[in-house]
């Protein structure tokens, strides 16, 4: 949570491997609870993302035309992705998580090294299929769409100040659409005798995660300096690489 609040390190890419590592301590395998863990985490991040997006809009730091081009298809892809996520097994999820993690690592390395990529315009005809595909891939990897939204930014010549707000918009549209899909998953979610579930979302866990993440986001947002950013980005990259090795080797 601290990483995500300080420098927009993607929380889902940190949280999901953490659940994978620590759930066995409670005699629970991650692949047994994959759907509710992903659903609860992604929905719990919506309030903080929404707060940051509203703040970006107030500052005029959102490219609405870029969002109009892709946000609706991103959301549609999010709903489709949640339905598919309720049907796939852990190995399939692991493949998509690996893909998203590699893209995120490369984007963080480019950011640390200040590498600029020339914009590659996407034809209007491709707006819907690209948005749909990115939304589906994001949800199959347990991601809210921020990584693919950041990758999509390469197709835009947005000013630097508009990048974060625009990507947050994609994440919010995708997460809210995913919330609908998680409430009505393609496969009934009834294998646990726990109360407090709405579809695949566990409401007590959602409340705790949402409050904690919102507090850290509000308290720590953009408080670090450039050295902190380099250290935390490097730590996140190492953690992701180790996580990927551990998840595939085991």
């Amino acid at each position: 949570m601290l990483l995500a609040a300080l420098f927009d390190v993607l929380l889902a890419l940190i949280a999901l491997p953490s659940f994978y590592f620590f759930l066995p301590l409670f005699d629970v395998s991650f692949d047994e609870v994959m759907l509710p863990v992903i659903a609860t985490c992604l929905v719990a991040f919506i309030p903080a993302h929404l707060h940051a997006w509203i703040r970006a809009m107030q500052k005029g730091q959102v490219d609405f035309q870029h969002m109009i081009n892709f946000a609706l298809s991103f959301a549609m892809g999010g709903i489709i992705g949640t339905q598919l996520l309720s049907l796939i097994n852990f190995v399939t999820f692991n493949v998509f998580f690996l893909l998203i993690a590699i893209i995120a690592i490369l984007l963080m390395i480019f950011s640390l090294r200040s590498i600029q990529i020339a914009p590659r315009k996407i034809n209007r005809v491709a707006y819907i299929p690209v948005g749909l595909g990115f939304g589906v891939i994001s949800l199959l990897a347990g991601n809210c769409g921020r990584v693919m939204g950041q990758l999509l930014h390469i197709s835009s010549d947005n000013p630097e100040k508009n990048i974060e707000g625009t990507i947050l918009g994609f994440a919010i549209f995708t997460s809210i659409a995913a919330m609908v899909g998680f409430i009505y998953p393609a496969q009934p979610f009834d294998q646990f005798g726990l109360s407090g579930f709405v579809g695949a979302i566990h409401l007590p866990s959602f409340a705790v995660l949402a409050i904690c993440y919102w507090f850290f986001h509000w308290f720590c947002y953009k408080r670090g300096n450039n050295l902190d950013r380099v250290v935390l980005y490097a730590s996140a990259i190492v953690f992701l690489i180790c996580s990927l090795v551990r998840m595939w080797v085991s």
Side-chain angles (χ1 to χ4, degrees), residues 24 46 51 84 124 151 195 207:
I46 292 176
H51 177 259
L84 294 175
R124 288 177 177 270
L151 184 63
S195 60

Side-chain angles (χ1 to χ4, degrees), residues 48-226:
H49 287 162
L50 187 60
H51 177 259
W53 190 51
I54 292 173
R55 185 160 46 189
M57 285 195 296
Q58 291 173 338
K59 296 178 180 179
Q61 296 178 348
V62 178
D63 187 335
F64 288 102
Q65 185 57 55
H66 192 56
M67 284 193 57
I68 290 170
N69 293 341
F70 295 99
L72 182 58
S73 54
F74 245 94
M76 293 169 60
I79 293 178
I80 295 171
T82 57
Q83 301 303 303
L84 294 175
L85 185 64
S86 69
L87 300 173
I88 65 175
N89 56 26
F90 176 70
V91 175
T92 307
F93 161 77
N94 221 359
V95 171
F96 284 97
F97 185 85
L98 173 67
L99 173 65
I100 290 289
I102 290 174
I103 295 173
I105 290 170
L106 292 175
L107 290 173
M108 282 190 282
I109 291 174
F110 289 166
S111 177
L112 286 176
R113 297 179 63 85
S114 300
I115 297 174
Q116 299 295 325
I117 302 175
R120 298 288 187 271
K121 290 293 185 180
I122 296 177
N123 191 285
R124 288 177 177 270
V125 178
Y127 285 170
I128 292 179
V130 168
L132 275 173
F134 280 16
V136 170
I137 292 172
S138 296
L139 264 297
L140 287 176
N143 186 262
C144 65
R146 290 193 64 171
V147 172
M148 300 309 286
Q150 191 173 353
L151 184 63
L152 188 61
H153 169 72
I154 296 173
S155 69
S156 169
D157 54 359
N158 292 337
E160 188 73 21
K161 65 185 179 110
N162 291 347
I163 297 175
E164 182 183 349
T166 307
I167 293 172
L168 278 170
F170 287 130
I172 291 167
F173 274 86
T174 307
S175 298
I176 292 176
M179 179 176 65
V180 177
F182 285 131
I183 292 174
Y184 303 102
Q187 181 173 305
F189 180 75
D190 56 4
Q191 61 262 50
F192 291 98
L194 299 176
S195 60
F197 276 98
V198 174
I201 303 169
H202 189 234
L203 290 182
S205 301
F206 155 77
V208 172
L209 283 171
I211 292 171
C212 291
Y213 180 49
W214 186 89
F215 171 77
F216 275 98
H217 194 274
W218 169 78
F219 187 72
C220 303
Y221 186 68
K222 301 297 185 183
R223 297 292 179 91
N225 55 37
N226 190 61

